[in-house]
Amino acid sequence: MIDSGNIKDCLYSDTDYTEWYVDKYGDLRADAVHHDGTNHYLYRVFKDGVTDTQIENLQVKIYNGKATRADITRVTKRLGDDIAGVYGFSIPKQRQPNEQAR
């Protein structure tokens, strides 16, 4: 977790090589190469109104390797929209829950 809440603070790495990008889902991601292999990061921000309990429950699922995309998107939102707004590129809008049921 990045306490500052600033996207710029996601852009730090002490690895040999790191590439940050916004994927087709509008998520900010990074691939960080180091002497032992490669780490893959997904950066998201908690939605307004999310409770501490919801955050803790998501953390437990992540730590235990049990978090699904639905678990993550339930309490967080993507950062790509903010980044695309600064750099002037477009990304697809997220589907609404009723569209996903089709």
Side-chain angles (χ1 to χ4, degrees), residues 13-33:
S13 176
D14 60 357
T15 60
D16 298 330
Y17 173 81
T18 303
E19 178 180 25
W20 288 271
Y21 57 95
V22 175
D23 69 10
K24 66 182 181 179
Y25 301 109
D27 284 321
L28 175 61
R29 293 187 172 268
D31 298 326
V33 178

PDB file of all heavy atoms in Angstrom, residues 13-33:
ATOM      1  N   SER A  13      11.295   1.814  -8.116  1.00  0.00           N
ATOM      2  CA  SER A  13      11.698   0.413  -8.075  1.00  0.00           C
ATOM      3  C   SER A  13      13.180   0.322  -7.766  1.00  0.00           C
ATOM      4  O   SER A  13      13.965   1.150  -8.225  1.00  0.00           O
ATOM      5  CB  SER A  13      11.410  -0.261  -9.414  1.00  0.00           C
ATOM      6  OG  SER A  13      11.875  -1.591  -9.396  1.00  0.00           O
ATOM      7  N   ASP A  14      13.555  -0.682  -7.000  1.00  0.00           N
ATOM      8  CA  ASP A  14      14.967  -0.926  -6.741  1.00  0.00           C
ATOM      9  C   ASP A  14      15.423  -2.210  -7.431  1.00  0.00           C
ATOM     10  O   ASP A  14      16.374  -2.857  -7.008  1.00  0.00           O
ATOM     11  CB  ASP A  14      15.252  -0.972  -5.240  1.00  0.00           C
ATOM     12  CG  ASP A  14      14.471  -2.060  -4.520  1.00  0.00           C
ATOM     13  OD1 ASP A  14      13.666  -2.754  -5.174  1.00  0.00           O
ATOM     14  OD2 ASP A  14      14.657  -2.205  -3.303  1.00  0.00           O
ATOM     15  N   THR A  15      14.735  -2.569  -8.512  1.00  0.00           N
ATOM     16  CA  THR A  15      15.079  -3.766  -9.273  1.00  0.00           C
ATOM     17  C   THR A  15      16.022  -3.389 -10.427  1.00  0.00           C
ATOM     18  O   THR A  15      16.296  -2.214 -10.659  1.00  0.00           O
ATOM     19  CB  THR A  15      13.819  -4.453  -9.821  1.00  0.00           C
ATOM     20  OG1 THR A  15      13.122  -3.544 -10.677  1.00  0.00           O
ATOM     21  CG2 THR A  15      12.907  -4.894  -8.698  1.00  0.00           C
ATOM     22  N   ASP A  16      16.480  -4.385 -11.155  1.00  0.00           N
ATOM     23  CA  ASP A  16      17.396  -4.146 -12.270  1.00  0.00           C
ATOM     24  C   ASP A  16      16.715  -3.430 -13.429  1.00  0.00           C
ATOM     25  O   ASP A  16      17.330  -2.611 -14.115  1.00  0.00           O
ATOM     26  CB  ASP A  16      17.989  -5.472 -12.767  1.00  0.00           C
ATOM     27  CG  ASP A  16      18.811  -6.173 -11.696  1.00  0.00           C
ATOM     28  OD1 ASP A  16      19.393  -5.472 -10.837  1.00  0.00           O
ATOM     29  OD2 ASP A  16      18.861  -7.414 -11.705  1.00  0.00           O
ATOM     30  N   TYR A  17      15.449  -3.768 -13.663  1.00  0.00           N
ATOM     31  CA  TYR A  17      14.702  -3.179 -14.772  1.00  0.00           C
ATOM     32  C   TYR A  17      13.222  -3.244 -14.431  1.00  0.00           C
ATOM     33  O   TYR A  17      12.734  -4.286 -13.998  1.00  0.00           O
ATOM     34  CB  TYR A  17      14.966  -3.959 -16.069  1.00  0.00           C
ATOM     35  CG  TYR A  17      14.110  -3.511 -17.226  1.00  0.00           C
ATOM     36  CD1 TYR A  17      14.432  -2.389 -17.967  1.00  0.00           C
ATOM     37  CD2 TYR A  17      12.954  -4.213 -17.565  1.00  0.00           C
ATOM     38  CE1 TYR A  17      13.638  -1.970 -19.031  1.00  0.00           C
ATOM     39  CE2 TYR A  17      12.154  -3.810 -18.619  1.00  0.00           C
ATOM     40  CZ  TYR A  17      12.504  -2.687 -19.349  1.00  0.00           C
ATOM     41  OH  TYR A  17      11.714  -2.274 -20.384  1.00  0.00           O
ATOM     42  N   THR A  18      12.506  -2.139 -14.613  1.00  0.00           N
ATOM     43  CA  THR A  18      11.065  -2.122 -14.364  1.00  0.00           C
ATOM     44  C   THR A  18      10.361  -1.402 -15.507  1.00  0.00           C
ATOM     45  O   THR A  18      10.817  -0.348 -15.956  1.00  0.00           O
ATOM     46  CB  THR A  18      10.728  -1.420 -13.039  1.00  0.00           C
ATOM     47  OG1 THR A  18      11.420  -2.073 -11.981  1.00  0.00           O
ATOM     48  CG2 THR A  18       9.230  -1.468 -12.760  1.00  0.00           C
ATOM     49  N   GLU A  19       9.273  -1.989 -15.967  1.00  0.00           N
ATOM     50  CA  GLU A  19       8.452  -1.382 -17.005  1.00  0.00           C
ATOM     51  C   GLU A  19       7.044  -1.196 -16.445  1.00  0.00           C
ATOM     52  O   GLU A  19       6.424  -2.154 -15.987  1.00  0.00           O
ATOM     53  CB  GLU A  19       8.403  -2.283 -18.238  1.00  0.00           C
ATOM     54  CG  GLU A  19       7.531  -1.726 -19.343  1.00  0.00           C
ATOM     55  CD  GLU A  19       7.480  -2.620 -20.563  1.00  0.00           C
ATOM     56  OE1 GLU A  19       7.703  -3.843 -20.428  1.00  0.00           O
ATOM     57  OE2 GLU A  19       7.196  -2.099 -21.641  1.00  0.00           O
ATOM     58  N   TRP A  20       6.553   0.058 -16.470  1.00  0.00           N
ATOM     59  CA  TRP A  20       5.193   0.361 -16.040  1.00  0.00           C
ATOM     60  C   TRP A  20       4.346   0.583 -17.278  1.00  0.00           C
ATOM     61  O   TRP A  20       4.805   1.138 -18.274  1.00  0.00           O
ATOM     62  CB  TRP A  20       5.170   1.639 -15.203  1.00  0.00           C
ATOM     63  CG  TRP A  20       5.753   1.497 -13.848  1.00  0.00           C
ATOM     64  CD1 TRP A  20       5.107   1.134 -12.703  1.00  0.00           C
ATOM     65  CD2 TRP A  20       7.114   1.730 -13.464  1.00  0.00           C
ATOM     66  NE1 TRP A  20       5.983   1.115 -11.640  1.00  0.00           N
ATOM     67  CE2 TRP A  20       7.211   1.473 -12.079  1.00  0.00           C
ATOM     68  CE3 TRP A  20       8.267   2.118 -14.152  1.00  0.00           C
ATOM     69  CZ2 TRP A  20       8.403   1.615 -11.382  1.00  0.00           C
ATOM     70  CZ3 TRP A  20       9.453   2.246 -13.457  1.00  0.00           C
ATOM     71  CH2 TRP A  20       9.512   1.995 -12.089  1.00  0.00           C
ATOM     72  N   TYR A  21       3.083   0.153 -17.208  1.00  0.00           N
ATOM     73  CA  TYR A  21       2.183   0.322 -18.347  1.00  0.00           C
ATOM     74  C   TYR A  21       0.735   0.251 -17.877  1.00  0.00           C
ATOM     75  O   TYR A  21       0.439  -0.259 -16.798  1.00  0.00           O
ATOM     76  CB  TYR A  21       2.447  -0.732 -19.423  1.00  0.00           C
ATOM     77  CG  TYR A  21       2.338  -2.155 -18.942  1.00  0.00           C
ATOM     78  CD1 TYR A  21       1.150  -2.871 -19.093  1.00  0.00           C
ATOM     79  CD2 TYR A  21       3.413  -2.789 -18.317  1.00  0.00           C
ATOM     80  CE1 TYR A  21       1.042  -4.182 -18.644  1.00  0.00           C
ATOM     81  CE2 TYR A  21       3.319  -4.103 -17.872  1.00  0.00           C
ATOM     82  CZ  TYR A  21       2.139  -4.795 -18.036  1.00  0.00           C
ATOM     83  OH  TYR A  21       2.036  -6.082 -17.587  1.00  0.00           O
ATOM     84  N   VAL A  22      -0.164   0.781 -18.705  1.00  0.00           N
ATOM     85  CA  VAL A  22      -1.603   0.653 -18.484  1.00  0.00           C
ATOM     86  C   VAL A  22      -2.085  -0.426 -19.433  1.00  0.00           C
ATOM     87  O   VAL A  22      -1.878  -0.339 -20.647  1.00  0.00           O
ATOM     88  CB  VAL A  22      -2.336   1.989 -18.732  1.00  0.00           C
ATOM     89  CG1 VAL A  22      -3.844   1.814 -18.627  1.00  0.00           C
ATOM     90  CG2 VAL A  22      -1.845   3.058 -17.754  1.00  0.00           C
ATOM     91  N   ASP A  23      -2.711  -1.471 -18.883  1.00  0.00           N
ATOM     92  CA  ASP A  23      -3.149  -2.593 -19.718  1.00  0.00           C
ATOM     93  C   ASP A  23      -4.514  -2.318 -20.356  1.00  0.00           C
ATOM     94  O   ASP A  23      -5.105  -1.258 -20.158  1.00  0.00           O
ATOM     95  CB  ASP A  23      -3.135  -3.909 -18.931  1.00  0.00           C
ATOM     96  CG  ASP A  23      -4.203  -3.993 -17.847  1.00  0.00           C
ATOM     97  OD1 ASP A  23      -5.114  -3.126 -17.789  1.00  0.00           O
ATOM     98  OD2 ASP A  23      -4.138  -4.943 -17.042  1.00  0.00           O
ATOM     99  N   LYS A  24      -5.020  -3.288 -21.102  1.00  0.00           N
ATOM    100  CA  LYS A  24      -6.285  -3.115 -21.827  1.00  0.00           C
ATOM    101  C   LYS A  24      -7.485  -2.966 -20.906  1.00  0.00           C
ATOM    102  O   LYS A  24      -8.549  -2.547 -21.336  1.00  0.00           O
ATOM    103  CB  LYS A  24      -6.513  -4.268 -22.803  1.00  0.00           C
ATOM    104  CG  LYS A  24      -6.734  -5.617 -22.138  1.00  0.00           C
ATOM    105  CD  LYS A  24      -6.914  -6.714 -23.170  1.00  0.00           C
ATOM    106  CE  LYS A  24      -7.149  -8.062 -22.500  1.00  0.00           C
ATOM    107  NZ  LYS A  24      -7.349  -9.110 -23.507  1.00  0.00           N
ATOM    108  N   TYR A  25      -7.325  -3.315 -19.635  1.00  0.00           N
ATOM    109  CA  TYR A  25      -8.403  -3.150 -18.659  1.00  0.00           C
ATOM    110  C   TYR A  25      -8.330  -1.818 -17.925  1.00  0.00           C
ATOM    111  O   TYR A  25      -9.144  -1.555 -17.047  1.00  0.00           O
ATOM    112  CB  TYR A  25      -8.364  -4.296 -17.640  1.00  0.00           C
ATOM    113  CG  TYR A  25      -8.507  -5.652 -18.279  1.00  0.00           C
ATOM    114  CD1 TYR A  25      -7.423  -6.509 -18.339  1.00  0.00           C
ATOM    115  CD2 TYR A  25      -9.713  -6.062 -18.847  1.00  0.00           C
ATOM    116  CE1 TYR A  25      -7.540  -7.751 -18.943  1.00  0.00           C
ATOM    117  CE2 TYR A  25      -9.829  -7.293 -19.450  1.00  0.00           C
ATOM    118  CZ  TYR A  25      -8.743  -8.137 -19.499  1.00  0.00           C
ATOM    119  OH  TYR A  25      -8.862  -9.373 -20.105  1.00  0.00           O
ATOM    120  N   GLY A  26      -7.342  -0.999 -18.268  1.00  0.00           N
ATOM    121  CA  GLY A  26      -7.188   0.299 -17.619  1.00  0.00           C
ATOM    122  C   GLY A  26      -6.447   0.212 -16.299  1.00  0.00           C
ATOM    123  O   GLY A  26      -6.475   1.149 -15.507  1.00  0.00           O
ATOM    124  N   ASP A  27      -5.772  -0.892 -16.054  1.00  0.00           N
ATOM    125  CA  ASP A  27      -5.015  -1.060 -14.818  1.00  0.00           C
ATOM    126  C   ASP A  27      -3.569  -0.643 -15.011  1.00  0.00           C
ATOM    127  O   ASP A  27      -2.951  -0.970 -16.030  1.00  0.00           O
ATOM    128  CB  ASP A  27      -5.040  -2.524 -14.366  1.00  0.00           C
ATOM    129  CG  ASP A  27      -6.357  -2.924 -13.734  1.00  0.00           C
ATOM    130  OD1 ASP A  27      -6.936  -2.109 -13.001  1.00  0.00           O
ATOM    131  OD2 ASP A  27      -6.799  -4.063 -13.963  1.00  0.00           O
ATOM    132  N   LEU A  28      -3.029   0.062 -14.009  1.00  0.00           N
ATOM    133  CA  LEU A  28      -1.607   0.359 -13.983  1.00  0.00           C
ATOM    134  C   LEU A  28      -0.894  -0.896 -13.498  1.00  0.00           C
ATOM    135  O   LEU A  28      -1.248  -1.463 -12.456  1.00  0.00           O
ATOM    136  CB  LEU A  28      -1.311   1.534 -13.045  1.00  0.00           C
ATOM    137  CG  LEU A  28       0.167   1.873 -12.838  1.00  0.00           C
ATOM    138  CD1 LEU A  28       0.837   2.261 -14.159  1.00  0.00           C
ATOM    139  CD2 LEU A  28       0.315   2.989 -11.806  1.00  0.00           C
ATOM    140  N   ARG A  29       0.096  -1.334 -14.260  1.00  0.00           N
ATOM    141  CA  ARG A  29       0.838  -2.548 -13.936  1.00  0.00           C
ATOM    142  C   ARG A  29       2.334  -2.284 -14.071  1.00  0.00           C
ATOM    143  O   ARG A  29       2.741  -1.314 -14.711  1.00  0.00           O
ATOM    144  CB  ARG A  29       0.451  -3.690 -14.865  1.00  0.00           C
ATOM    145  CG  ARG A  29      -0.988  -4.140 -14.654  1.00  0.00           C
ATOM    146  CD  ARG A  29      -1.271  -5.396 -15.468  1.00  0.00           C
ATOM    147  NE  ARG A  29      -2.555  -5.952 -15.146  1.00  0.00           N
ATOM    148  CZ  ARG A  29      -2.775  -6.882 -14.220  1.00  0.00           C
ATOM    149  NH1 ARG A  29      -1.787  -7.364 -13.511  1.00  0.00           N
ATOM    150  NH2 ARG A  29      -3.994  -7.350 -14.000  1.00  0.00           N
ATOM    151  N   ALA A  30       3.125  -3.167 -13.497  1.00  0.00           N
ATOM    152  CA  ALA A  30       4.576  -3.108 -13.653  1.00  0.00           C
ATOM    153  C   ALA A  30       5.131  -4.519 -13.700  1.00  0.00           C
ATOM    154  O   ALA A  30       4.624  -5.421 -13.025  1.00  0.00           O
ATOM    155  CB  ALA A  30       5.212  -2.340 -12.502  1.00  0.00           C
ATOM    156  N   ASP A  31       6.162  -4.685 -14.504  1.00  0.00           N
ATOM    157  CA  ASP A  31       6.945  -5.912 -14.548  1.00  0.00           C
ATOM    158  C   ASP A  31       8.353  -5.515 -14.117  1.00  0.00           C
ATOM    159  O   ASP A  31       8.985  -4.677 -14.764  1.00  0.00           O
ATOM    160  CB  ASP A  31       6.972  -6.512 -15.955  1.00  0.00           C
ATOM    161  CG  ASP A  31       5.584  -6.891 -16.444  1.00  0.00           C
ATOM    162  OD1 ASP A  31       4.754  -7.309 -15.609  1.00  0.00           O
ATOM    163  OD2 ASP A  31       5.325  -6.777 -17.654  1.00  0.00           O
ATOM    164  N   ALA A  32       8.820  -6.082 -13.013  1.00  0.00           N
ATOM    165  CA  ALA A  32      10.096  -5.703 -12.428  1.00  0.00           C
ATOM    166  C   ALA A  32      11.049  -6.897 -12.445  1.00  0.00           C
ATOM    167  O   ALA A  32      10.806  -7.908 -11.795  1.00  0.00           O
ATOM    168  CB  ALA A  32       9.889  -5.207 -10.998  1.00  0.00           C
ATOM    169  N   VAL A  33      12.131  -6.759 -13.193  1.00  0.00           N
ATOM    170  CA  VAL A  33      13.112  -7.821 -13.353  1.00  0.00           C
ATOM    171  C   VAL A  33      14.241  -7.623 -12.338  1.00  0.00           C
ATOM    172  O   VAL A  33      14.750  -6.519 -12.159  1.00  0.00           O
ATOM    173  CB  VAL A  33      13.691  -7.810 -14.786  1.00  0.00           C
ATOM    174  CG1 VAL A  33      14.747  -8.889 -14.957  1.00  0.00           C
ATOM    175  CG2 VAL A  33      12.584  -7.956 -15.812  1.00  0.00           C
TER     176      VAL A  33
END
